[in-house]
Amino acid sequence: LVPMSPLTHEGVHYNWACAFRKQQNKKQLGFVHGTLHQGYLNSLTAKISDLAYEFDAERVLVMGYSMGGFGAFQLGGWAPDAFDVVISVAGYGLGTLEPENE
């Protein structure tokens, strides 16, 4: 399953379940200063759980490289019960916690 971020809506951009406005975007890094989009995260993790159940999965892994690693941290942190393993290579999960004025 490879998710796509929602399209821009009413001036709000989306990147790996973070919602941000252009004025929050510093140097094209909108994922650094945004807020988690709860609806997106709830829908995606519910879909993953449904598919795992439907296919009787023994393990559920979320993994990614770079921005995908950031997304893996977002999903694993949002719904830890949905995943057995979170693998992030060259990703990070602290960006959304930084104050906007820094």
Side-chain angles (χ1 to χ4, degrees):
L1 182 64
V2 180
M4 293 182 61
S5 294
L7 299 175
T8 299
H9 178 69
E10 295 181 1
V12 177
H13 305 271
Y14 302 93
N15 198 344
W16 269 114
C18 288
F20 61 94
R21 296 194 177 277
K22 190 169 185 170
Q23 57 268 33
Q24 292 173 296
N25 188 351
K26 296 183 179 184
K27 299 180 185 171
Q28 303 277 333
L29 299 175
F31 57 89
V32 172
H33 302 291
T35 57
L36 293 176
H37 190 276
Q38 295 178 8
Y40 179 82
L41 287 166
N42 286 335
S43 295
L44 182 56
T45 53
K47 182 59 139 179
I48 291 167
S49 294
D50 290 347
L51 288 170
Y53 178 78
E54 183 178 335
F55 289 98
D56 196 24
E58 290 184 25
R59 303 277 185 278
V60 179
L61 292 77
V62 59
M63 61 184 82
Y65 172 76
S66 191
M67 193 61 183
F70 176 79
F73 275 135
Q74 295 288 67
L75 292 171
W78 184 261
D81 293 342
F83 304 99
D84 297 299
V85 178
V86 176
I87 301 170
S88 175
V89 179
Y92 68 98
L94 298 176
T96 56
L97 300 179
E98 291 183 21
E100 287 186 31
N101 58 356
E102 293 183 13

